[in-house]
Amino acid sequence: IKSFLPHSCLMNNVLCSVITGCGVPAIKPQTIGSRIVNGQNAISGSWPWQVSLQLPNSFHFCGGSLINENWVLTAAHCAVLYTVCFLLVIYVITHPLYNRATFNNDIALLKLSAPVTFTPRISPVCLAPSNSSILPGTRCFTTGWGQTATTSHPEILQQTGVPIISPAVCRQIWGQNRITDAMICAGASGSSSCQGDSGGPLVCEISGVWTLVGSVSWETSTCDTRFPAVYARISQLRSWIDMTIASN
């Protein structure tokens, strides 16, 4: 999937989001009938926290979420891919317990060189609290510019609705030791995140506010839509996020 930051987003100091607090898009997303592999085009500007991480040649390689005017949240396995990246990013902070072999704690924070100016198309997403729990079966949404069923580089941000899968069911599918408390699963319902979507958001609408509950981490190598994708669980990692932002 690809998101609401234009291709030049981070490169040209133009992030995309909306203005009133967090998690309330000025441009309402279309959430009915939404199907990334097997997703659909998102309404421009309706996921205003979506970020595109790009190489200096403007090649999109990962997604991210704007969480306030100074910080973008993405996957650790994305952040470690580059050394000299976007001019807008001062530095990258990867979770100290990130495991490259298991993808546990697959999260990183990008500090921007200057605060983002919020607009109707640029605004932050809310973060799931540490004590939050999402009921299995809840229909949430993931967005991005990653590989789809027909192209590896869609020009328009893609979105899809995916149900939350319980940890017990996810462990039955992926293995008891593979799914940790720092992971949340969603999908297995005909659509899936895929390569290029990593680091992007999994959001659920809670009391009218879109809340970041996961960050795209891993799935089958073929993005098989019969299997759930796995996301870094924001509630489990929230204390590290808050501590890192407060101390930097």
Side-chain angles (χ1 to χ4, degrees), residues 177-199:
N177 298 323
R178 197 169 179 189
I179 303 301
T180 72
D181 291 341
M183 299 176 185
I184 186 171
C185 304
S189 60
S191 61
S192 176
S193 301
C194 201
Q195 284 77 31
D197 293 326
S198 292

Side-chain angles (χ1 to χ4, degrees), residues 49-68:
W49 43 80
Q50 175 78 47
V51 172
S52 171
L53 301 184
Q54 300 167 15
L55 298 176
N57 63 0
S58 295
F59 175 79
H60 167 89
F61 64 90
C62 271
S65 300
L66 184 67
I67 58 174
N68 63 35

Side-chain angles (χ1 to χ4, degrees), residues 1-3 33-42 47 50 60 63 140-154 156-162 186 189-198 200-203 216 219 222-225 229 231:
I1 24 186
K2 190 180 206 171
S3 193
S34 176
R35 315 167 306 281
I36 290 182
V37 175
N38 295 338
Q40 67 177 167
N41 292 345
W47 305 105
Q50 175 78 47
H60 167 89
C140 300
F141 282 81
T142 186
T143 52
W145 282 289
Q147 182 176 330
T148 71
T150 58
T151 178
S152 57
H153 304 293
I156 299 174
L157 178 67
Q158 299 295 294
Q159 67 176 49
T160 189
V162 288
S189 60
S191 61
S192 176
S193 301
C194 201
Q195 284 77 31
D197 293 326
S198 292
L202 173 68
V203 293
V216 180
E219 64 280 309
T222 59
C223 307
D224 191 324
T225 61
Y231 304 77

Side-chain angles (χ1 to χ4, degrees), residues 3-5 15-18 21-27 29 45-52 63-68 71-73 121-126 141 143 157 200-204 209-212:
S3 193
F4 280 128
L5 285 178
L15 283 164
C16 308
S17 240
V18 40
C22 65
V24 184
I27 301 168
S46 60
W47 305 105
W49 43 80
Q50 175 78 47
V51 172
S52 171
S65 300
L66 184 67
I67 58 174
N68 63 35
W71 292 90
V72 168
L73 185 152
R121 292 175 178 269
I122 303 175
S123 66
V125 66
C126 298
F141 282 81
T143 52
L157 178 67
L202 173 68
V203 293
C204 304
V209 173
W210 289 99
T211 301
L212 187 70

Side-chain angles (χ1 to χ4, degrees), residues 10 14 16 31 33 35 37 68 70 77 79 85 90 101 124 131 143 148 154 182 187 190 192 196 217 232-233 243:
L10 289 173
V14 182
C16 308
T31 58
R35 315 167 306 281
V37 175
N68 63 35
N70 292 302
H77 77 264
C85 46
I90 300 178
N131 61 355
T143 52
T148 71
S192 176
S217 184
R233 185 185 290 267
M243 179 185 66

Side-chain angles (χ1 to χ4, degrees), residues 67-68 70-71 91 93 109 111 127 237-248:
I67 58 174
N68 63 35
N70 292 302
W71 292 90
Y91 50 81
I93 304 176
L109 292 170
K111 178 74 177 286
L127 293 176
L237 301 165
R238 178 65 191 269
S239 58
W240 176 81
I241 296 169
D242 291 346
M243 179 185 66
T244 301
I245 290 175
S247 59
N248 289 279

